[in-house]
Amino acid sequence: MIDPLADVVGLLRPGVRYTKIVGAAGRWGVRRTETGEPSYCVVLDGACLLTAADMDPIALEPGDFVLIPATYDFSMSSLRPPPARDFDKPPAQVAPGEVRHGTRDGPPDVRFLIGHCEFAAPDAALLVSLLPRVVHVRGEARLATLVQLVNDEARAGRPARDVVLARLLEVLLIEALRGAGGTDASPGLVRGLADARLAHALRALHAAPERAWTVADLAREAALSRSTFFERFSRTVGVAPMAYLLTWRMALAQDLLRRGAGSVAEVAERVGYSSASTFTVAFARHVGQPPGRYARAA
């Protein structure tokens, strides 16, 4: 069976930049803005507060896992946040790969492992737009195990380290995303796949992106009326059905061109365009340069 989630994560080509353990005590706060990088966090002990733009604050507990596919505006703090002026005070280095925020004497109130990733796909921004803005999973021991494996591998100098990390991260991301498909998830592919009707349409679209899909065709796959499907898809996935199809086609096209998997005309046909000229116009509008130039640069 076609798995749209595995499709997206596979094209993202995730890798680890670094991981570290963070401890904190007293009143403390850290704010991050405008990095655009994917990051994750697992709470080891204690509790803290996660606040992201346009979302209600989340009180994180031991075992909680948070994934932010693209970091633009969020903060973490003690449950009782400090005044704004006390955010972002430099942490103290307490051990290799471990830092401390807030009060530096005594045991920490909270400890968590954070990791910063990178997506090697040149079209990562396109693919990330299909994912929820924030993924929060609670009570999944498998995630904690995977995070520990990632942390251990990142710190070791074993042979084939980068290959192993890439595979572990793919599993970690898929596990986190498929565990966050409830109705409280932010709009995106994950939430769409949690809707049984929409999942039929999404899997059909991913199985045959070259097909000349219409909203009516996808609505039939979902066994919904055209208007109901359009409204439900747009609300749940966060984009209109044809906008999702275009984004996925462009992501596939970039991957095929990057790998030299065919001429421009062949790639155009494989992603659903009847002519190379029509594809070239759509690709240039969406990506910012013609497909031939993109392929040569890649």
Side-chain angles (χ1 to χ4, degrees), residues 220-240:
R220 279 192 290 274
E221 294 286 343
L224 295 169
S225 70
R226 184 185 182 282
S227 58
T228 299
F229 171 77
F230 183 90
E231 188 279 329
R232 189 157 154 180
F233 189 102
S234 301
R235 170 171 43 83
T236 305
V237 181
V239 294

Side-chain angles (χ1 to χ4, degrees), residues 169-194:
L169 266 180
E170 284 192 21
V171 177
L172 175 65
L173 292 178
I174 292 172
E175 188 72 25
L177 290 166
R178 72 182 183 182
T183 56
D184 58 342
S186 55
L189 173 60
V190 176
R191 190 169 164 188
L193 290 171

Side-chain angles (χ1 to χ4, degrees), residues 128-185:
V128 167
S129 71
L130 305 179
L131 302 178
R133 288 180 54 246
V134 176
V135 175
H136 174 219
V137 183
R138 175 166 289 168
E140 291 289 341
R142 287 162 57 92
L143 278 174
T145 300
L146 285 167
V147 169
Q148 188 58 56
L149 287 172
V150 169
N151 184 48
D152 290 345
E153 193 65 32
R155 296 176 186 280
R158 302 184 185 98
R161 169 185 175 274
D162 290 344
V163 175
V164 173
L165 276 175
R167 299 298 179 269
L168 283 174
L169 266 180
E170 284 192 21
V171 177
L172 175 65
L173 292 178
I174 292 172
E175 188 72 25
L177 290 166
R178 72 182 183 182
T183 56
D184 58 342

Side-chain angles (χ1 to χ4, degrees), residues 18-23 32 40 42 44 91 93 96-99 101 112-116 151 155:
Y18 67 88
T19 65
K20 64 182 176 182
I21 294 174
V22 178
R32 294 289 179 265
Y40 63 85
V42 60
L44 304 174
Q93 188 84 29
E98 183 168 356
V99 300
H101 288 281
F112 48 92
L113 174 70
I114 64 169
H116 294 271
N151 184 48
R155 296 176 186 280

Side-chain angles (χ1 to χ4, degrees), residues 51-56 72-75 133-134:
T51 304
D54 304 322
M55 294 183 65
D56 293 333
Y72 287 110
D73 187 4
F74 83 98
S75 66
R133 288 180 54 246
V134 176

